Amino acid sequence: MAQLEQFTHSPPHGVDAVVARMRAFGAVWPAHDGVAVFNRVYLAVTEEVDRRIDSGGFPDPRAAATLDVRFAERYLAAVESVAEERRPPSCWRPLFEYRRHPGVRPMQFALAGINAHIGHDLALAVVDTCRTLGCEPAELEDEFDRVGDLLVSLEERIREDLMPGPDLLQIADPLTHLLGSWSLERARDGAWAAARALWALRGLPEVVEEFTQRLDAGVGLVGRMLLTPLPS
């Protein structure tokens, strides 16, 4: 735990720092750990975003980098909560609770993490970024869409890498049915709508708190469904 803790108390200052922390997690977690499975997926996404920022793939590199870091901070904070034996947000609890369950497949772990991060964290990260940059959500829409398009393109590769092969059709049948009930594109659309609503409600803190709590709980419920143990 001490090796992990050295990476959970210093907030990241840029995309490179975020990448370094995720690589550090991967070095100490077993490869089959459910959170490690998601961490590998998210690390690949973050590294690709970093490359595209450096190569001019975003119209506003500063906005893209800020959104990327604020987004990652939500996941890193969940990891830190668990490392310090505090409760993470409801959306993350299923992944941490089931991370070592032998009946949950790698693909389920990956999508449960993506569900928590997109369904809950992304909306809050947009609001965090607007506050940091002093802008409106509409001014981040290009960066939001480009990051979302990257996630959608990577989802197909994730499914190809983590889904069982034809020789495991007996497992794949219920797994395909389960995972087919969730859509990254719908989750992304929901995150954008939630971000706009939270921004519009920012002058009503009690309403924002209730909205955020209900969003967190709803995404957590979907995460538990995605992590339904399957027969071996």
Side-chain angles (χ1 to χ4, degrees):
M1 182 68 72
Q3 188 177 1
L4 176 58
E5 286 178 348
Q6 65 179 310
F7 295 99
T8 59
H9 293 286
S10 299
H13 298 289
V15 180
D16 290 343
V18 166
V19 168
R21 290 181 71 186
M22 286 193 279
R23 286 176 178 166
F25 297 158
V28 298
W29 288 334
H32 60 273
D33 179 290
V35 184
V37 172
F38 167 73
N39 190 75
R40 289 194 295 274
V41 170
Y42 189 32
L43 175 59
V45 171
T46 306
E47 289 173 332
E48 181 61 26
V49 170
D50 196 18
R51 283 192 290 270
R52 295 194 184 190
I53 291 173
D54 290 342
S55 65
F58 288 91
D60 187 339
R62 179 169 176 257
T66 303
L67 177 59
D68 195 37
V69 172
R70 293 289 176 261
F71 189 29
E73 284 174 339
R74 295 280 171 177
Y75 162 62
L76 298 175
V79 174
E80 180 176 345
S81 294
V82 175
E84 296 179 347
E85 298 185 349
R86 293 183 286 110
R87 287 168 67 86
S90 297
C91 62
W92 284 108
R93 284 176 206 159
L95 181 60
F96 284 98
E97 290 172 2
Y98 283 79
R99 65 192 298 178
R100 297 181 181 88
H101 197 297
V104 179
R105 311 301 171 198
M107 185 67 204
Q108 292 174 265
F109 288 130
L111 289 192
I114 294 172
N115 168 69
H117 207 34
I118 300 292
H120 173 264
D121 294 354
L122 184 54
L124 301 184
V126 170
V127 174
D128 292 342
T129 302
C130 288
R131 288 174 174 156
T132 299
L133 300 178
C135 66
E136 298 281 329
E139 297 173 65
L140 296 176
E141 191 166 6
D142 282 345
E143 286 68 34
F144 181 95
D145 287 342
R146 287 172 189 253
V147 171
D149 290 343
L150 174 60
L151 287 165
V152 170
S153 68
L154 287 175
E155 184 191 17
E156 183 176 347
R157 191 178 78 188
I158 293 166
R159 289 179 182 271
E160 290 175 355
D161 290 345
L162 297 181
M163 281 290 283
D167 55 323
L168 296 177
L169 189 59
Q170 187 175 358
I171 295 175
D173 276 346
L175 182 60
T176 301
H177 175 77
L178 179 65
L179 300 181
S181 64
W182 185 85
S183 163
L184 193 153
E185 291 194 53
R186 288 198 297 271
R188 183 182 68 170
D189 291 345
W192 182 246
R196 293 178 62 198
L198 286 168
W199 187 253
L201 294 169
R202 65 191 183 280
L204 302 170
E206 292 183 1
V207 178
V208 168
E209 182 178 2
E210 181 178 356
F211 185 101
T212 304
Q213 289 176 351
R214 292 183 182 277
L215 178 66
D216 187 23
V219 173
L221 182 63
V222 173
R224 290 194 183 278
M225 180 273 292
L226 289 171
L227 293 171
T228 301
L230 299 175
S232 57

